[in-house]
Structure formats: structure tokens, C-alpha cells
Amino acid sequence: MGCRGKYAVGQRAVGRTQGLTVSGLYIGLMSGTSLDGVDAVLVDFDAPQAARVLGHASAPLPAPLRAELLALNAPTDNELHRAALAANGLVRLYAEQVHTLLQQCGVEAAAVSAIGAHGQTVRHRPQEFDGTGYTLQLNNPSLLAELCGISVVADFRSRDVAAGGQGAPLVPPFHQAFFGPIAPQVGVLNIGGISNITLVGCQPDKPLLGFDCGPGNALMDTWCQQHTGASFDRDGAWAAGGTVITPMLLRMLREPFFQRKPPKSTGRDLFNAPWLQSQLRGFEANAAQDIQATLTELTAQSCARSIETSASNLNTLIVCGGGALNLHLMHRITALLPQCQVHTSDHYALPPLQVEATAFAWLAKQALERRPGSVPDVTGAKGPRILGALYCAG
């Protein structure tokens, strides 16, 4: 993608606060649960709207790195060593995208206030085991700051978990800031590897709600790759040609996570290949394409049920993330929510694959300005918290 405007240090109002560059320019990085690649955005928060994306760069995860990150989602041999090296490899890919972005946009590194780098979630077990639990994102923000010469904000989830929260989802406050003005009641459905919903103005006593709905692309991609060799079902075309296996769908929808009330979050710790195999028992003789259709319907129905349960009055739904590009999935969500006007975030000038990266640029800005990035009604934490740890450039 090209860049909208060119900026250098001398062309912007750039100041210094406690040794940090302070400007409206931030970079957001995202590599999500889908493990499909890295997205980087350069965002101008001095723009009249809540955020203006000036440039976007992306790259697929190299196959060996993707395989290693996927393997590290479950117990494996020599985990500490392998996780550290995988984090270094991921950060080098991050840095390449940052440099590509700066070059595309004609922006000097010194003009950027900070990079928001979420890292790659490989374990997410909040409130479990000892009551606090943990969440783990592979990252090496020190190396990223060294490679890019820009301050880095990372480790966004753990402070919320320490405060008794889920540490996820983190994007609802950004959704509220960017999409909230569109209508009195707005839903934002993010479909990555896991799906999550943001509800703005849908409950009078809770102006902002958000929680994970369940699997997004993770199960669909796993099955598609296993049976077709493709990393994902382009446009949902394979699923669209299949027939939903209703008994299997009903079995999957009985998963206790779907019955839990928010705040709640999930990940590949639950919705993974072993879970899928457990749901397939007795249905192994069915056509692989019909199982793909059923997995797609599971994502559609779990998202629609989440919305109907928490916001039956919703009439505007904005869909983002990789799932927004799945035409069959979008058709099914639209059919299941006839009361809603359903659009992808493209309709509101922010392409689906840029929303999460922009959100982490926004969270980096919140951290530098010492503003909370979490909302207790979303995560269940004891109170709002400033999220992220700062790794200074230089």
C-alpha cells in the first residue's frame, strides 16, 4: 500500500518528554492467532478523525517460523530455548516491516513516538491454576527497539491479568474511539484466529462491552490446510460448496465456553486441533468439505449468538480481521442477524487487515500518555489500568 503524505522530523510538531519523542505518529504491529502473517501500520493520531492510517506493510510468516509458533501453543520439548529463538525470528520480521513502512512513507524513525508490538500469543490462561493465571506473548521488544531505533511498547495483557482481568480482548476501547461515533449503538466483530465482539452503547449501564465469542479462522484454517494444502479457504468457497453436518454443529455448540457469561476470553489453548478431533468422533466418514462447512457455520453461529445474547437491539455491525474477507462467512453472519446492517470496516475507511494493528498503535499512545488502555466491564479487572511496558530507543 502506498503512503498518504510524507513526513520527516522537520515537517511535524515533534517534542521531547522525559527523553521520548512525542508526536502524533505511531506504528502498530500485529501477528494474530491465525498465524497468517504480520501487519504493520503507520498511524497519525493528530488527524481530525480518531486515527488516520498513512501506510500499511505486511508479510506472511515464513513456514518454519509459523510451524514453530504453532508448536509452541502446546507443551513441547526444550520450550524456553525454542520460544526465545522464535521470538527473535518474529521480531526480525517485525523490524523488516517497520523499515518497509518508513521507507514507503518517507518518514524518519526519529519522527515516530513509539511502536506498539503485541507479540504472538502462545498461551492464554488468565485466572487459572493459582487464581491469577498468566498470558504469554512471544516477543523481544528490546531487540525491536535496537533494530528500529524507535521506542517500543509491549506486554499489553499482563497488567490487566495481574489486576484480576482476562487480559483480553484489548481492542474494544479503540473500537469505541474509532467506530463509536458512527451510530448510537455499534458492534465491531473482529474475526481473527479467535473472534471477539465489541458492543458500544448497547446496554444503558455499560457503555462499552467486549468479549471473545469463540473460534474465528483457527479451526477453519487448520482443517483447510490439512485437506487441501491451502493455508485458508479463500472467500469461503470450499465451505460454501459443502453441507453443514447439523449433529456435529450442535455437539460443538455445547462446548461450555459458549455458555459462559462475559467477561471471557479464549485462544488456541481450547480451540485447537485436539479439540477439533474430539468433536469429530463419529463423524469421520463425512466429507472433508462438509466438515469445513460445519466449522464455518460454527464461527458464524457463535458470533451471532454472542451478539443476540448481549445486544438484541444492535442494528449496526462492523466486521474486521481476516474473517471479513471470507465471503461465505460474511453471508452467513448477515443471514443470522437480519436486524443488523452488516459491513466490513472497509466501509468506514479502515480496511479489515489494518484494524488490529491500528488498535495496538493506539494502545501504545495510551501508554505513553499514561492513560488506561483497559476497561473493567470488558476484561473483568479490578479497575482501568495503563497497559504495556516501555522499551526506550537509544
Side-chain angles (χ1 to χ4, degrees):
M1 173 180 173
C3 188
R4 305 174 193 173
K6 294 184 179 291
Y7 298 91
V9 175
Q11 295 173 301
R12 298 187 58 76
V14 177
R16 305 286 290 184
T17 300
Q18 296 181 340
L20 295 176
T21 298
V22 179
S23 79
L25 293 183
Y26 287 77
I27 288 174
L29 294 170
M30 187 62 196
S31 52
T33 315
S34 292
L35 288 168
D36 50 359
V38 171
D39 286 290
V41 291
L42 178 67
V43 188
D44 182 6
F45 288 106
D46 284 342
Q49 56 269 62
R52 180 171 177 244
V53 176
L54 303 176
H56 174 220
S58 64
L61 289 174
L65 178 59
R66 184 183 189 279
E68 185 72 332
L69 291 171
L70 186 59
L72 288 164
N73 276 264
T76 186
D77 293 334
N78 206 12
E79 283 183 321
L80 294 178
H81 173 75
R82 291 170 62 185
L85 293 183
N88 289 350
L90 179 64
V91 161
R92 290 188 179 99
L93 186 59
Y94 281 170
E96 289 173 8
Q97 299 317 299
V98 169
H99 289 303
T100 296
L101 196 58
L102 295 176
Q103 185 176 23
Q104 284 179 355
C105 296
V107 173
E108 298 174 14
V112 179
S113 289
I115 298 170
H118 174 250
Q120 184 67 49
T121 300
V122 291
R123 306 290 170 87
H124 185 67
R125 307 295 293 270
Q127 301 175 348
E128 297 186 39
F129 310 114
D130 61 354
T132 299
Y134 63 90
T135 184
L136 179 61
Q137 288 71 47
L138 295 188
N139 201 354
N140 188 341
S142 294
L143 179 60
L144 185 60
E146 196 68 29
L147 293 173
C148 297
I150 301 171
S151 296
V152 175
V153 182
D155 189 22
F156 290 97
R157 297 195 190 279
S158 61
R159 181 60 193 276
D160 187 84
V161 171
Q166 292 282 315
L170 294 181
V171 291
F174 169 73
H175 289 162
Q176 182 183 39
F178 191 88
F179 298 110
I182 290 168
Q185 297 164 338
V186 175
V188 184
L189 178 62
N190 176 55
I191 307 176
I194 299 297
S195 59
N196 57 69
I197 184 70
T198 297
L199 299 169
V200 181
C202 295
Q203 293 189 12
D205 58 333
K206 294 180 179 179
L208 179 63
L209 286 174
F211 54 92
D212 284 354
C213 305
N217 303 313
L219 299 178
M220 293 186 286
D221 290 353
T222 295
W223 189 254
C224 185
Q225 185 163 29
Q226 182 178 339
H227 290 274
T228 72
S231 57
F232 65 97
D233 183 8
R234 187 174 298 277
D235 297 328
W238 191 41
T243 300
V244 172
I245 307 164
T246 300
M248 181 182 169
L249 175 65
L250 293 175
R251 173 190 285 179
M252 292 190 292
L253 286 170
R254 286 195 291 270
E255 163 60 45
F257 175 82
F258 296 125
Q259 323 311 324
R260 279 174 49 194
K261 293 183 178 180
K264 62 178 182 176
S265 61
T266 189
R268 287 186 184 268
D269 305 83
L270 173 59
F271 294 110
N272 50 31
W275 184 89
L276 177 55
Q277 287 303 313
S278 73
Q279 304 300 308
L280 282 171
R281 292 190 188 109
F283 298 103
E284 295 91 343
N286 285 268
Q289 188 174 21
D290 292 345
I291 292 172
Q292 182 73 8
T294 307
L295 294 174
T296 304
E297 188 68 13
L298 173 66
T299 293
Q301 289 211 19
S302 60
C303 290
R305 291 182 180 199
S306 295
I307 292 166
E308 289 172 339
T309 300
S310 298
S312 58
N313 56 347
L314 184 69
N315 54 30
T316 301
L317 180 66
I318 302 163
V319 186
C320 58
L325 307 182
N326 184 321
L327 300 182
H328 177 60
L329 178 61
M330 287 292 294
H331 171 75
R332 291 300 304 137
I333 290 170
T334 301
L336 290 166
L337 296 169
Q339 79 281 12
C340 283
Q341 291 289 322
V342 180
H343 297 288
T344 72
S345 60
D346 261 322
H347 190 75
Y348 302 98
L350 190 56
L353 298 183
Q354 297 179 19
V355 175
E356 277 200 290
T358 304
F360 282 98
W362 184 85
L363 284 166
K365 179 176 181 288
Q366 292 291 102
L368 259 59
E369 295 177 351
R370 301 188 61 79
R371 298 177 187 273
S374 64
V375 175
D377 284 339
V378 172
T379 67
K382 298 171 187 174
R385 294 293 186 266
I386 299 170
L387 304 180
L390 175 64
Y391 297 75
C392 293

